[in-house]
Amino acid sequence: MDEDKEKQRTTVTIFGQPYTIVGDEPPEHVISVAEQLDQKMREFKRHNPYLDTSRLAVLTALNIVDDYMKLKQSIEENDRNEKEDR
C-alpha cells in the first residue's frame, strides 16, 4: 500500500441511504461493491418483506460472508490440488 497515496472519497447509495466511503480503492470499484450490496439487500427484502433494515443488513452480511468463505475454500482446494498434480 502506498502511504503517500491520497484517500478517495466516494458517495454511494445503499438501500436508499447515502454513504461516503473513504479509502484507497478507485471510485468505480467502490460503486460496484455498493451496487452489489444494494442488489443483495433488495433481493433479501423481496423474500423477507417484514425484516427491519438492521436485521436485513445482518442477514445480507451473513450471506455475503458465507459466499466469501465458500469461494475462499474452493480456491484453497484448487491450489492444493494443483500442487499435488505437480
Side-chain angles (χ1 to χ4, degrees), residues 10-26:
T10 307
T11 301
V12 297
T13 301
I14 301 169
F15 208 66
Q17 295 293 314
Y19 295 91
T20 299
I21 310 298
V22 179
D24 297 325
E25 297 295 336

Side-chain angles (χ1 to χ4, degrees), residues 1-51:
M1 189 183 309
D2 187 2
E3 296 292 327
D4 296 329
K5 187 175 180 182
E6 197 169 315
K7 301 277 186 198
Q8 302 259 3
R9 296 175 67 82
T10 307
T11 301
V12 297
T13 301
I14 301 169
F15 208 66
Q17 295 293 314
Y19 295 91
T20 299
I21 310 298
V22 179
D24 297 325
E25 297 295 336
E28 298 80 19
H29 177 76
V30 175
I31 290 167
S32 178
V33 169
E35 287 172 348
Q36 289 289 319
L37 177 56
D38 183 74
Q39 182 180 353
K40 277 279 193 199
M41 288 184 73
R42 291 181 189 284
E43 177 185 325
F44 282 117
K45 185 68 170 179
R46 278 194 302 278
H47 296 294
N48 303 281
Y50 302 107
L51 283 180

Side-chain angles (χ1 to χ4, degrees), residues 37 41 51-64:
L37 177 56
M41 288 184 73
L51 283 180
D52 62 46
T53 304
S54 294
R55 291 181 190 277
L56 180 63
V58 170
L59 177 62
T60 304
L62 283 170
N63 183 266
I64 291 170

